[in-house]
Amino acid sequence: MSEDAPLKTPVDTPLETPLESTASTQATVTPPAAPRSGNLLRTGMGRNLGLVVALVVLCIVGVATAGDTFATGANVLTILRLAAVIGVVSIGMTFVITGGGIDLSVGAMVALASVWATTLATQQLAADFHWIFMVSTALLVGAACGLVNGLLVAYGKIVPFIATLAMLAGARGLAEIISDRRTQIITVNSFVDFFGGSLIGVPVLVWIFLLVAAAGWVVLNRTTFGRRTFAVGGNAEAARLAGIKVQRHTVALYVLAGLCCGIAAVMLMARTTTGSSTHGQLYELDAIAAVVIGGTLLSGGRGTIVGTVIGVLIFTTLNNVFTLNNLSISAQSVAKGVIIVIAVLLQQRLAARSTST
């Protein structure tokens, strides 16, 4: 080879072949895969839509089996009035379960608040001044019971199941002691007239339920308190490392649940015109069932107020249909149990799909 001949240098970057260029272009412009239809069920809107469909189907069954008796305006108001009390309790339960806890004492707290607010001394104060004394007493008793639950769980390190089970027994027993196991009749007519009345044809109790539900939705979805509730329920240790005072927040959740029980006690007092240690029987089971049916995870970290409201309406409508068809309470209980099991199984299946994807 001649010394004057130019040296050939290797090419640093090889040219793309037409096939490679085409493949590269296709990889760039390939559209994302369409979402699978099952993803809708894992969204809040999809779950709520499924609950609405279930409620509509239940109403159709009611019309088909009970006829005009079910489809009357009076019966609809009856369903709403019955749903209002347990609905308010369920709103408080939604916060507790979303925060990773559980409260078995809500029914007993309702009973204790109703008894304490209808004692002769409290009713005398209400008669002399204003019925607000009865309402304040019920709210304070409910909040105080919730505070005890929260302190036992957060600072006493007692499992929520055990702590609230102890409150269930203690509050119910204290209610029996105060009332001497007698039903206390409300003699303050102004209290009954206000809470037992209607506004624009809708019972005041229903309006209270709507206000509590609306306030609960705003607090859970649009405030720092709500975001902290999701964080604590999802992973308490991670929430603590993020700067959230987990113990203080847990106490606040149980106080909120107790406050809802106080409101429910006032509503139940107005509906029955009595205070009794037997009020609120099995409310804890009904509230937990409505919350679970609504889509709130029992393990915490996910909760929905809208789903809870629809869940309450489903169970109340189911009870109404069974009653109008003269079916036994035992049959109602069996139906509730089946619905709860199905709801939990669906939750577990959807959670497993979310994890796998």
Side-chain angles (χ1 to χ4, degrees):
M1 179 181 293
S2 172
E3 294 180 359
D4 295 334
L7 295 175
K8 292 183 180 180
T9 59
V11 179
D12 295 330
T13 305
L15 295 176
E16 289 183 338
T17 64
L19 181 59
E20 291 173 341
S21 177
T22 304
S24 175
T25 304
Q26 289 179 346
T28 304
V29 299
T30 300
R36 294 183 298 178
S37 58
N39 290 340
L40 178 62
L41 295 176
R42 291 196 286 269
T43 65
M45 182 179 297
R47 288 189 295 269
N48 291 338
L49 181 60
L51 292 173
V52 171
V53 171
L55 181 59
V56 171
V57 171
L58 192 56
C59 290
I60 294 174
V61 172
V63 172
T65 57
D68 297 336
T69 306
F70 178 84
T72 61
N75 188 56
V76 172
L77 291 179
T78 298
I79 293 175
L80 293 176
R81 192 181 294 109
L82 292 174
V85 178
I86 188 62
V88 171
V89 175
S90 299
I91 297 298
M93 185 71 77
T94 301
F95 278 89
V96 172
I97 293 181
T98 302
I102 197 167
D103 194 343
L104 301 181
S105 64
V106 290
M109 288 192 289
V110 169
L112 180 59
S114 72
V115 166
W116 211 316
T118 54
T119 58
L120 292 177
T122 308
Q123 292 201 60
Q124 188 61 50
L125 284 173
D128 293 341
F129 298 98
H130 198 275
W131 49 258
I132 196 67
F133 280 94
M134 296 174 64
V135 176
S136 300
T137 300
L139 297 182
L140 288 173
V141 170
C145 292
L147 177 62
V148 173
N149 280 337
L151 292 175
L152 291 176
V153 172
Y155 294 97
K157 304 299 182 182
I158 300 178
V159 178
F161 183 91
I162 301 300
T164 57
L165 184 63
M167 176 58 71
L168 182 154
R172 186 75 69 180
L174 183 56
E176 292 177 351
I177 293 173
I178 294 175
S179 64
D180 197 21
R181 295 189 176 183
R182 297 177 181 177
T183 300
Q184 299 174 167
I185 306 299
I186 297 177
T187 58
V188 183
N189 294 328
S190 58
F191 172 88
V192 177
D193 293 340
F194 180 83
F195 289 100
S198 299
L199 181 63
I200 320 178
V202 179
V204 172
L205 299 183
V206 177
W207 286 112
I208 294 175
F209 176 34
L210 293 176
L211 289 175
V212 172
W217 184 88
V218 171
V219 171
L220 188 62
N221 297 283
R222 292 294 183 267
T223 67
T224 303
F225 184 88
R227 290 191 291 272
R228 289 175 177 173
T229 300
F230 287 118
V232 171
N235 190 324
E237 181 60 21
R240 185 187 66 81
L241 295 175
I244 298 175
K245 298 184 182 300
V246 175
Q247 291 176 316
R248 184 183 302 177
H249 191 83
T250 299
V251 173
L253 289 175
Y254 281 97
V255 171
L256 179 59
L259 189 63
C260 287
C261 290
I263 298 173
V266 172
M267 299 167 69
L268 191 58
M269 287 157 49
R271 199 181 76 192
T272 63
T273 67
T274 62
S276 173
S277 59
T278 61
H279 281 336
Q281 292 281 3
L282 298 181
Y283 270 20
E284 54 277 355
L285 299 183
D286 290 340
I288 293 172
V291 171
V292 172
I293 289 297
T296 298
L297 284 179
L298 275 175
S299 57
R302 190 185 78 194
T304 163
I305 298 296
V306 175
T308 295
V309 171
I310 302 175
V312 169
L313 293 176
I314 287 176
F315 276 115
T316 308
T317 304
L318 179 68
N319 291 340
N320 184 262
V321 171
F322 273 61
T323 301
L324 292 179
N325 287 280
N326 296 321
L327 297 177
S328 66
I329 297 178
S330 300
Q332 297 180 31
S333 300
V334 171
K336 285 183 180 180
V338 171
I339 292 174
I340 293 171
V341 170
I342 293 175
V344 173
L345 288 176
L346 287 175
Q347 280 191 1
Q348 292 177 347
R349 184 173 182 180
L350 293 176
R353 284 185 179 181
S354 299
T355 304
S356 62
T357 55

